[in-house]
Amino acid sequence: MTIAGNWKMFFGPEPMELADLDAIVAPPYTRLVDCVEAGLTTYAQNVHWEPQGAYTGEISAPLLLALGVRGSIVGHSERRQSFGETDETVGLRTRAALDAGLHVIACIGETREEREGGEMENVLRRQLSVLEPHPNLVIAYEPVWAIGTGLTATPEICRDTHGFIKTIIDVPVLYGGSVNPGNAEALLSQPCVDGALVGGASLDVESFTAICQTAARIHS
Ligand code: PGA
């Protein structure tokens, strides 16, 4: 069971307060060193496919590895929606990061219109078509309509969609989208749910700790 906290563009909590948790944190770049030095399993929120070069504003796998960073989120829906991320670039980023030795949490998920229009399976199949199974690859299923909205996929939607994803790619699948201490148990106890990618609730030490404790209890 994997619990990962995506701090997005927020300063985030004091890393030492999270030191005892069995969890991944993905802070903004300026806090990567603090998190690594606190002994946390630290991921970036994005990674470029070239090892170096004239790519202003990007970061590469070798640069992250040199800092002690262990992995990266790739293809988050906020990058897809607001920063021109495509399935193709998600594939390039993921492959380069895995080849370099980073772990990857690759995010997929449909919008509300796509789900209501019966397109969910096609969208997920297309997003997954650029990814291949790898021991260091994890998928995060994050329905766009559930991210930061307080709307969570029901445990049944989670179970069914994760089951569908696993028929296409056999790697662990995390759920993401408004996970909080109140719904973590119901979501994480579903079959095919291998953990959670937590946004808003990962910024609060008490909430994130509670989610990690729930995951540990379910796992034991
Ligand atoms: P949320 O974000 O938990 O705030 O919905 C999840 C994510 O975007 O990874």
Side-chain angles (χ1 to χ4, degrees), residues 176-196:
S178 299
V179 175
N180 61 45
N183 60 27
E185 172 133 28
L187 293 164
L188 293 172
S189 48
Q190 293 302 314
C192 300
V193 176
D194 302 304

Side-chain angles (χ1 to χ4, degrees), residues 4-6 8 73 76-78 107 140 142-143 146-151 175-180 197-202:
N6 174 13
K8 308 192 179 188
I73 296 171
H76 191 278
S77 67
E78 287 152 14
C107 303
E142 299 205 305
I147 295 179
T149 59
L151 287 176
Y175 169 75
S178 299
V179 175
N180 61 45
L197 180 54
V198 184
S202 74

Side-chain angles (χ1 to χ4, degrees), residues 16 23-24 26 40 67 74 80 85 93 120 145 160 172 178 196:
M16 284 312 288
I24 293 166
L40 305 183
L67 218 55
V74 169
R80 293 178 189 262
E85 194 77 64
R93 291 180 196 280
M120 185 266 288
W145 46 270
D160 294 350
S178 299

Side-chain angles (χ1 to χ4, degrees), residues 8-9 23 25 27-28 53 68 70-71 90 94 96 109 113 135 141 147 151 162 191 199 210 214:
K8 308 192 179 188
M9 201 173 71
V25 293
R70 300 268 290 280
V90 170
T94 300
E113 295 72 36
Y141 169 58
I147 295 179
L151 287 176
H162 283 221
T214 298

Side-chain angles (χ1 to χ4, degrees), residues 54-76:
Y55 299 101
T56 303
E58 292 283 336
I59 191 82
S60 73
L63 293 174
L64 291 169
L65 285 161
L67 218 55
V69 171
R70 300 268 290 280
S72 183
I73 296 171
V74 169
H76 191 278

